[in-house]
Amino acid sequence: MKGLEVFPRLRFRAPMTLVLILATVGMVFAFSGTAAAVPGPGAAPAPLCATPTSPTPGPCSTDWYTEDVKVTWEYDASGTPDPSTPDCLGRTQSTDTTAETFTCTVNWPASGDGEPPPPSPSSSASVTIKVDKTPPTVTEALARPPDYNGWYNHAVDFTFNGTDGAGSGVASCDPVTYSGPEGEGVHVTGTCTDVVGHVGTGSFPLNYDDTLPTLTNVTADDGDSEVTLTWVASTDTRTIDIVRSASGEPDKSIDDVASGAAAGGPGAYTDTTVSNGTHYTYTVIAHDRANN
């Protein structure tokens, strides 16, 4: 038809990519795309992986996955999955694993004639997947022994150990210096990080008290061959000891003049082993449950 001309042009720009431009009266249609790399007849099946965050199947990674992975297979339509390898139908790995292998075998139509018929050729491929969805477990806290009777009475350094089950392995555990809050059965918390970045935590009990008990209103009243001491101890006091000093004699320790919960609050002690005319110095000492 005169006045109407069609100029088809086929232009190849890159391997597996084509651009087709058709020109007609006053209009141009164009599209471009990348041809799917489907294995040809007889070629080994190609594994494809998809995850919830990347649902479009693509090449499987040799690195760690941190979520469920579904493995499917791509092969030429003329092939038939071998019943001995159900992985060909697709399978999801939803638990941690350091090496889960998926295998697909595809059977191809036999070629040639003969009696008996020639065996059908087949091709096979495998892929190994690593999955770590789980944070490591902090298994133990290591520190110096308690300072007194199961109690720590000053800052204590903890290091931690962890395990990662079937995951990527523990990369590091962070040390902690504990210096409060105080209490019986308080907890120190440690963390361990695995290779893929999951962080696990663990909490471990300890008894901690680094506060000194207090004594107020300490008095000494002398009498005939006796001295009476009085004081008021803070409620966290658990024992009261007294040390007596005098010129010309060794110090005398008077231990546990009060003990237990009764040691807290007002207290008194009368020393009847003194001599009139001798100068004595008394030191009243309060200890708490952590021996502060």
Side-chain angles (χ1 to χ4, degrees):
M1 177 182 298
K2 191 172 182 180
L4 175 64
E5 295 181 287
V6 178
F7 302 93
R9 292 185 295 165
L10 188 64
R11 180 183 304 162
F12 294 95
R13 291 188 173 181
M16 305 301 294
T17 302
L18 60 84
V19 177
L20 180 63
I21 301 177
L22 299 177
T24 186
V25 179
M27 303 180 71
V28 176
F29 299 90
F31 68 89
S32 64
T34 300
V38 179
L48 299 174
C49 287
T51 64
T53 55
S54 298
T56 301
C60 295
S61 174
T62 58
D63 206 347
W64 287 91
Y65 287 94
T66 57
E67 55 187 335
D68 293 354
V69 184
K70 183 175 183 179
V71 179
T72 56
W73 299 85
E74 195 169 40
Y75 48 85
D76 188 81
S78 62
T80 303
D82 193 293
S84 67
T85 56
D87 283 350
C88 291
L89 303 179
R91 178 162 65 93
T92 298
Q93 182 65 34
S94 57
T95 58
D96 290 358
T97 177
T98 57
E100 179 70 14
T101 299
F102 295 71
T103 300
C104 177
T105 299
V106 176
N107 298 323
W108 305 102
S111 59
D113 299 321
E115 286 296 337
S120 298
S122 64
S123 56
S124 181
S126 296
V127 65
T128 299
I129 299 299
K130 301 184 296 183
V131 177
D132 184 354
K133 299 164 50 179
T134 308
T137 300
V138 183
T139 57
E140 62 179 344
L142 304 175
R144 71 174 189 268
D147 300 307
Y148 178 80
N149 197 28
W151 286 81
Y152 292 99
N153 57 29
H154 60 284
V156 53
D157 294 330
F158 283 89
T159 58
F160 301 91
N161 289 332
T163 60
D164 200 33
S168 56
V170 176
S172 63
C173 295
D174 295 331
V176 170
T177 297
Y178 189 91
S179 58
E182 296 180 335
E184 183 174 8
V186 294
H187 285 78
V188 58
T189 299
T191 61
C192 292
T193 304
D194 64 19
V195 171
V196 299
H198 297 309
V199 178
T201 61
S203 185
F204 303 88
L206 74 154
N207 302 323
Y208 188 83
D209 183 349
D210 65 356
T211 301
L212 297 175
T214 59
L215 288 168
T216 57
N217 300 327
V218 180
T219 64
D221 294 321
D222 59 339
D224 185 13
S225 299
E226 67 178 25
V227 175
T228 299
L229 306 173
T230 61
W231 62 83
V232 177
S234 56
T235 57
D236 59 336
T237 302
R238 290 296 177 268
T239 60
I240 296 289
D241 298 333
I242 296 173
V243 177
R244 187 186 75 183
S245 302
S247 177
E249 65 179 56
D251 289 351
K252 178 181 180 181
S253 294
I254 309 169
D255 297 331
D256 295 335
V257 298
S259 61
Y269 175 76
T270 299
D271 183 6
T272 59
T273 62
V274 296
S275 300
N276 291 336
T278 302
H279 179 79
Y280 295 95
T281 299
Y282 292 85
T283 302
V284 182
I285 305 169
H287 298 278
D288 64 13
R289 55 194 173 179
N291 204 37
N292 290 304

